Amino acid sequence: MTDNLRGLLHQHFDVRCEIDNDPELVHESLKLRYQVYCLERGFENPDEHPEHEERDPYDDRALHSLLIHRASGLAAGTVRLILPDQRQPIGSLPIDRLCQEPDLYDQALLPRANLAEVSRFAISKAFRRRVGDVATPTGVGTVWTEPVKIDRRVLPHLSLGLIHALVRVSVLSGITHWVAEMEPALLRMLAILGVHWTDLGPSVNFHGKRQPCHTELRTMLARVPDERPDIWDVLTDLGRYLPEASV
């Protein structure tokens, strides 16, 4: 039986990337977002989404991914990468409304032509129960610790599957840098797993405490194998998805 993290991910979950041309999968992603962000967390008003699909204008220029549980066929997690508006890149991402740090607008540090914002990072309640039943969109709490040994029912966290999807989409789409506003607990968990982000100024209050942050994909992935080669195997699919070196 497969007992490594990458094997467990693909044994139990189908990672579907760039699903935007598949209306059925997009529907599943938006339904999951409605469940998590409207019904469970109250981040969005469910009355504004009568079709029970949580969507916003950013979806028109976003790349969506979905984790599907193979045994049940249920949507387990979803995430999107929002691309800047090509007509006016500066100011066109959600983070631009929350963070005014100069680094965010430094084209040498965060080139908008190759930048995307990680957004709507959500895991189904049915699967959050398997990682501690924490009532946050990602299921990560402040006291999260990595399991001592691998359990077939529990990956270190389904977040790894979603980050693998983000890596895959980014490599295929020429995205080299990410920004996000993340729950501090999620950032802490990712750091434990060798996935590091850099803060963009102080935390902000947006549906709770959020930390604006950024990372360059190539630099982030280069650090992972020194700390956690097993995690690197998951994120890059054994090196299949690696960003090209900067020119």
Side-chain angles (χ1 to χ4, degrees):
M1 179 177 293
T2 302
D3 60 358
N4 60 73
L5 297 183
R6 176 182 171 276
L8 286 172
L9 173 65
H10 293 289
Q11 177 183 349
H12 294 288
F13 297 94
D14 183 10
V15 183
R16 304 297 295 271
C17 299
E18 295 185 292
I19 63 173
D20 305 273
N21 292 326
D22 189 323
E24 183 176 346
L25 292 182
V26 171
H27 175 64
E28 291 300 318
S29 174
L30 299 178
K31 281 201 310 181
L32 178 54
R33 281 167 44 179
Y34 178 82
Q35 170 196 321
V36 173
Y37 286 99
C38 295
L39 300 184
E40 297 175 12
R41 303 302 297 146
F43 287 180
E44 304 294 340
N45 183 354
D47 293 338
E48 296 178 359
H49 304 278
E51 297 181 355
H52 296 178
E53 297 181 355
E54 191 276 315
R55 62 173 76 234
D56 63 31
Y58 296 112
D59 286 317
D60 292 337
R61 49 182 166 89
L63 304 173
H64 300 79
S65 297
L66 191 67
L67 287 184
I68 300 174
H69 186 232
R70 293 186 185 277
S72 65
L74 296 175
T78 188
V79 69
R80 67 180 177 178
L81 279 171
I82 301 175
L83 305 176
D85 188 334
Q86 294 183 355
R87 298 166 298 180
Q88 188 175 358
I90 301 298
S92 63
L93 293 174
I95 194 171
D96 291 315
R97 304 168 68 178
L98 299 173
C99 177
Q100 301 300 317
E101 292 298 313
D103 282 351
L104 180 59
Y105 307 104
D106 183 343
Q107 289 291 313
L109 179 67
L110 296 172
R112 292 271 164 157
N114 305 102
L115 179 69
E117 180 166 344
V118 177
S119 172
R120 289 300 191 259
F121 199 106
I123 293 173
S124 167
K125 183 177 181 180
F127 294 92
R128 293 203 305 272
R129 292 195 183 101
R130 301 185 178 195
V131 290
D133 201 18
V134 179
T136 66
T138 58
V140 180
T142 57
V143 296
W144 184 90
T145 56
E146 186 176 6
V148 175
K149 65 178 182 178
I150 299 171
D151 183 319
R152 284 194 308 113
R153 296 177 300 108
V154 182
L155 294 175
H157 199 273
L158 286 183
S159 297
L160 288 180
L162 293 178
I163 296 177
H164 161 66
L166 293 172
V167 169
R168 193 162 133 194
V169 169
S170 296
V171 170
L172 295 175
S173 304
I175 296 167
T176 59
H177 295 70
W178 297 341
V179 291
E181 311 96 49
M182 286 197 181
E183 302 167 23
L186 177 58
L187 282 173
R188 174 181 172 272
M189 184 208 76
L190 293 176
I192 291 173
L193 298 176
V195 180
H196 298 278
W197 293 67
T198 300
D199 290 352
L200 267 173
S203 61
V204 297
N205 185 17
F206 181 67
H207 299 301
K209 187 177 181 181
R210 296 290 182 270
Q211 178 59 57
C213 52
H214 71 94
T215 191
E216 190 220 354
L217 189 57
R218 185 171 60 92
T219 301
M220 180 268 283
L221 290 174
R223 184 174 176 179
V224 176
D226 292 335
E227 300 182 24
R228 293 298 303 268
D230 54 337
I231 302 298
W232 186 88
D233 288 347
V234 174
L235 301 186
T236 68
D237 198 16
L238 295 175
R240 182 181 177 190
Y241 297 102
L242 288 173
E244 295 182 0
S246 300
V247 178

